[in-house]
Amino acid sequence: IVLINNLVISRTVKRKDMAKYYKFDSGLTVLYEQNKINKSTSLEISFDCGARCDDNLPGLSHFCEHMFFTGTNNLTKQDITKRYYDFINVNAYTTNSEIVFTGSIITSKLPQYLDVVADMICNSTFKQKAVEEEQKVVVQEILQYSDNPIRTAEKLFYYDIYGLDYYKNGMYNDIVKYLSIFGKEKSN
């Protein structure tokens, strides 16, 4: 059992490909692989709460992913930006099924990276000014996705394979409803 920022991991599974997989009772998943030759660790931290879980608030998961970067009880937005992007090749994204923090990190800096991500996840403040700013950013991203032929093909693929119910709250679906909730920003 592993403890990160007071979150208990429920089980550890060592896979044949040497990556390690941890699953929290809350649905949080951590997958990582350490490369001892170049002293780096590839890490993915994900939540089982992507866009298809958004119910009556389409875009909520994507919006929360953005809000994790806007400040915590311990770190300002500037602190998070400096500390998070100080690591090698890190990113965050939202899919239909999960919110993901991912990166390749120098292994010696892994504890600091985990401290930052854990603080972002557990102590985000969601202040009103940041909420208003990030609503505009997320609306712009959704409008950009809706203009992207690859994203449209992906949406149609999932619709054909899984049907409307699987994709009813998809990230690029229900844009009109999202805009009515979060504002009517126009894409340039």
Side-chain angles (χ1 to χ4, degrees), residues 7 9 22-30 45-48 99 121:
L7 298 174
I9 296 172
Y22 298 97
K23 183 77 172 178
F24 289 79
D25 292 335
S26 65
L28 174 69
T29 303
V30 177
I45 301 170
S46 64
F47 297 88
D48 295 334
I99 296 174
I121 294 166

Side-chain angles (χ1 to χ4, degrees), residues 10-11 15 25-26 38-40 55 64 69 76 78 80 82 92 104 125-126 130 134 143 163 169:
S10 62
R11 59 188 156 109
R15 297 175 16 173
D25 292 335
S26 65
N38 65 13
K39 299 180 179 166
S40 68
D55 294 329
C64 287
F69 287 86
T76 66
Q78 293 77 18
I80 290 171
K82 168 140 183 29
S104 295
T125 55
F126 286 62
E134 290 307 313
L143 290 170
N169 292 326

Side-chain angles (χ1 to χ4, degrees), residues 25-125:
D25 292 335
S26 65
L28 174 69
T29 303
V30 177
L31 176 66
Y32 82 95
E33 181 176 11
Q34 185 175 9
N35 183 327
K36 293 182 181 184
I37 294 171
N38 65 13
K39 299 180 179 166
S40 68
T41 298
S42 295
L43 181 73
E44 181 176 288
I45 301 170
S46 64
F47 297 88
D48 295 334
C49 60
R52 66 186 160 119
C53 301
D54 289 351
D55 294 329
N56 295 325
L57 291 173
L60 181 62
S61 296
H62 185 196
F63 178 71
C64 287
E65 172 222 321
H66 279 252
M67 290 303 297
F68 289 138
F69 287 86
T70 64
T72 72
N73 294 326
N74 307 307
L75 300 170
T76 66
K77 180 178 182 175
Q78 293 77 18
D79 292 336
I80 290 171
T81 300
K82 168 140 183 29
R83 291 182 187 181
Y84 189 81
Y85 292 107
D86 195 31
F87 302 103
I88 299 172
N89 191 25
V90 293
N91 199 0
Y93 60 90
T94 303
T95 69
N96 275 345
S97 58
E98 59 191 355
I99 296 174
V100 180
F101 295 89
T102 185
S104 295
I105 300 142
I106 296 171
T107 300
S108 63
K109 292 189 174 193
L110 183 60
Q112 293 94 332
Y113 174 78
L114 291 174
D115 283 345
V116 172
V117 172
D119 192 43
M120 290 164 57
I121 294 166
C122 298
N123 298 310
S124 286
T125 55

